[in-house]
Amino acid sequence: MSYEVEFTSAAAKQIRKLQRPARERLLDAIEDLQDDPRPHGAKKLVGEDLAWRIRVGDYRVIYEVIDSQLLVTVVRAAHRREV
């Protein structure tokens, strides 16, 4: 069972602005969400029904998981101090 991953326009823009090594690490981690949308270390955001976050080095990826549609939507990806 594989989830589809999509990006909001804001998240795609944030990822495009990152330097290449950080961008590639984030995209690899996001690609892994297709197989396991709640990997070890993922945390559910308090007060949100669908929102989760993962940490990738100094960066955080905020995303929503919709199990009924097998969909992962990346909402935000930025440095930890900005998220």
Side-chain angles (χ1 to χ4, degrees):
M1 176 166 62
S2 182
Y3 285 70
E4 180 183 343
V5 176
E6 63 180 34
F7 297 84
T8 62
S9 58
K13 186 176 182 180
Q14 290 169 340
I15 291 171
R16 277 193 303 267
K17 285 183 176 182
L18 296 176
Q19 292 183 4
R20 187 176 193 155
R23 182 174 59 235
E24 288 177 356
R25 285 181 51 198
L26 277 178
L27 291 175
D28 286 344
I30 291 168
E31 185 178 318
D32 291 342
L33 294 176
Q34 290 178 333
D35 298 323
D36 184 10
R38 296 173 189 91
H40 179 72
K43 297 191 181 203
K44 183 146 178 31
L45 296 183
V46 175
E48 298 289 331
D49 292 335
L50 305 172
W52 290 77
R53 78 170 191 235
I54 57 171
R55 183 172 167 186
V56 182
D58 288 337
Y59 294 86
R60 285 207 175 121
V61 178
I62 309 292
Y63 61 98
E64 295 180 346
V65 178
I66 303 172
D67 290 312
S68 61
Q69 298 175 10
L70 296 179
L71 180 66
V72 174
T73 304
V74 177
V75 178
R76 189 132 194 245
H79 196 277
R80 289 175 39 217
R81 68 176 169 253
E82 298 170 8
V83 175

